[in-house]
Amino acid sequence: MNEMINEMDGKEFRSAFTTELFNRINKMIEDKKLSLENAILLLKHIGYRKAQKNIRDPDFLRSLLDERLEKTIFEEDKKKKEEKDEKLLVDLCECYLFLSFFVSPKLFSMCVPYLLKVALNKEKNKEAQKEVEMALLTLSNFGEYLSFNFFENERIQKLYVDEIKDIILYHQDHQNLTRLAYQSVLECLLDRFEEDESLEEVVVNEVHLGREAAKEVEELWKCMDWKKKEEERGKGREEEMILMRWLKTLNIYFCNCRLRNEECIELIRCIVRLFRAAKDNCEGIRYWCDYLFETTAGKKAVEIKNLLKGRAVELFLEEIQQTKLDNIMTLHGLVYFMNVSNRLKEEMGDIIEKAKRKAAKKLIFEKMEEEGYEDVMISFHKMLSFLKDQHCGFGYISLNISDYFVNV
């Protein structure tokens, strides 16, 4: 059963694990045809793979099994300390938080201490590492749960930041976490950063997110056999799933970080290399690389000159000349240069910033001139309306050709 679950893609997963199936499991527990312990083993594996694949659906929430697990967690938690089974409570919390689409603030605040206790285990043996990985993967869903009840859960998120930072810094010194656990704990911190800008110094200068993400992404994509097509590599490759999680998480970093630093240059270079490796045979990774490039071009977390140093500009100069009119990369390229151009046109009062902007404009202009960008864009001029109509989701594509140029 576990092997079948591992091989499922997102569509197969959703079609298999429905409300009806969870109701059937609940009935089997009720009729004592399936023990709670065995049900937990199955549900933890289902939830673990669901979290790995970033699948979000409400099927479990609609089931009777949802009610049963929630009631069991509260009943176990109410027991006296000497009667309480903490291992069972951790397993139940992981099952519930992995599978549920929504968690009440009361239940959530009750589960957090049990999961943190497991996550803080610093042993390096495989069994301990797996338990830590499970707890951190569960905790990495904090952002989604807290977004429903942000103010009610504000106290919870303040409490665990120090513990999360401790786990990250200890791993950087001792390498005691699995790859998925490390990605998950950094995601926990970034989820809080999205709501609390005071964590910027911690994210950038203490845990060095840019440096660490670049290192992890680089190691992961080098494990992949990119010569094989997606279907030949098989479904559910762990490195591929973790890469996808990294790319989605990094969007939070690029959208929210205002504290600029040189570490992001290597991170952008790494994403460029990943894009080149994956563009012909991994649609999901290619899409998220594209999305990150658009984010970095449109937000102020990365300076324009660092986009050039990171070779993202060069990548899109190449791609926009190679793609066909019906290729989505054309649209991504147009949005990218439109964002870059808009940022360079922004008015800034500070003389130093004006000088920096002028220098960045000159670098971009020269690179575009060298690559023949102007000729390519002129050839697209009459096609902008066609492209916009063909890809109506790109409603923000400008029909004004000057919005894609950088003037010194």
Side-chain angles (χ1 to χ4, degrees), residues 324-336:
K324 299 177 183 178
L325 286 177
D326 61 348
N327 193 317
I328 199 70
M329 270 303 297
T330 303
L331 276 298
H332 284 294
L334 291 172
V335 172
Y336 185 84

Side-chain angles (χ1 to χ4, degrees), residues 269-287:
R269 285 177 183 158
C270 182
I271 297 168
V272 168
R273 290 193 289 270
L274 175 60
F275 175 87
R276 291 186 191 281
K279 73 172 186 174
D280 292 328
N281 56 15
C282 191
E283 186 177 352
I285 287 177
R286 183 187 66 203
Y287 169 83

Side-chain angles (χ1 to χ4, degrees), residues 332-349:
H332 284 294
L334 291 172
V335 172
Y336 185 84
F337 287 117
M338 188 172 71
N339 287 340
V340 168
S341 178
N342 287 340
R343 281 181 62 188
L344 291 174
K345 288 173 185 175
E346 289 175 358
E347 289 298 323
M348 297 181 182

Side-chain angles (χ1 to χ4, degrees), residues 333-335 337-338 341 345 368 373 377 384 396-406:
L334 291 172
V335 172
F337 287 117
M338 188 172 71
S341 178
K345 288 173 185 175
M368 287 177 166
Y373 171 77
M377 282 309 303
L384 288 175
Y396 45 86
I397 283 288
S398 173
L399 300 181
N400 185 353
I401 190 70
S402 65
D403 287 338
Y404 303 94
F405 288 102
V406 175

Side-chain angles (χ1 to χ4, degrees), residues 355-381:
K356 284 183 179 179
R357 191 170 79 254
K358 187 173 181 179
K361 287 170 81 172
K362 191 169 186 291
L363 284 170
I364 299 287
F365 179 83
E366 289 174 352
K367 190 66 189 174
M368 287 177 166
E369 192 174 47
E370 180 185 325
E371 297 289 335
Y373 171 77
E374 185 175 346
D375 292 336
V376 175
M377 282 309 303
I378 288 171
S379 72
F380 275 126
H381 185 200

Side-chain angles (χ1 to χ4, degrees), residues 32-146:
K32 302 193 183 303
K33 293 179 179 178
L34 178 66
S35 69
L36 180 62
E37 291 74 18
N38 285 337
I40 285 172
L41 286 174
L42 173 62
L43 293 170
K44 273 184 72 170
H45 192 74
I46 294 170
Y48 175 75
R49 298 303 283 186
K50 180 180 176 184
Q52 268 190 322
K53 298 168 189 282
N54 288 287
I55 296 171
R56 299 284 186 263
D57 64 70
D59 287 307
F60 175 77
L61 183 63
R62 299 186 186 116
S63 72
L64 296 171
L65 188 58
D66 172 279
E67 296 174 22
R68 176 181 291 277
L69 290 188
E70 185 173 357
K71 183 181 177 184
T72 307
I73 291 170
F74 281 123
E75 287 175 350
E76 190 66 31
D77 183 64
K78 283 179 183 176
K79 291 180 181 178
K80 294 178 182 178
K81 187 175 181 180
E82 59 273 16
E83 298 175 352
K84 195 178 294 186
D85 186 340
E86 285 202 13
K87 175 67 171 65
L88 174 62
L89 260 171
V90 168
D91 287 342
L92 286 166
C93 289
E94 287 175 347
C95 280
Y96 194 86
L97 295 180
F98 271 147
L99 293 170
S100 188
F101 186 75
F102 173 77
V103 181
S104 70
K106 184 179 178 182
L107 179 64
F108 195 64
S109 60
M110 197 205 71
C111 289
V112 170
Y114 293 117
L115 295 173
L116 274 177
K117 187 174 179 180
V118 175
L120 286 163
N121 185 352
K122 294 179 171 64
E123 294 178 53
K124 290 187 74 170
N125 65 74
K126 284 188 176 181
E127 185 179 346
Q129 283 185 320
K130 189 64 177 179
E131 288 176 357
V132 170
E133 181 183 274
M134 292 285 278
L136 288 173
L137 186 57
T138 309
L139 290 170
S140 68
N141 291 317
F142 260 138
E144 182 171 343
Y145 302 141
L146 288 174

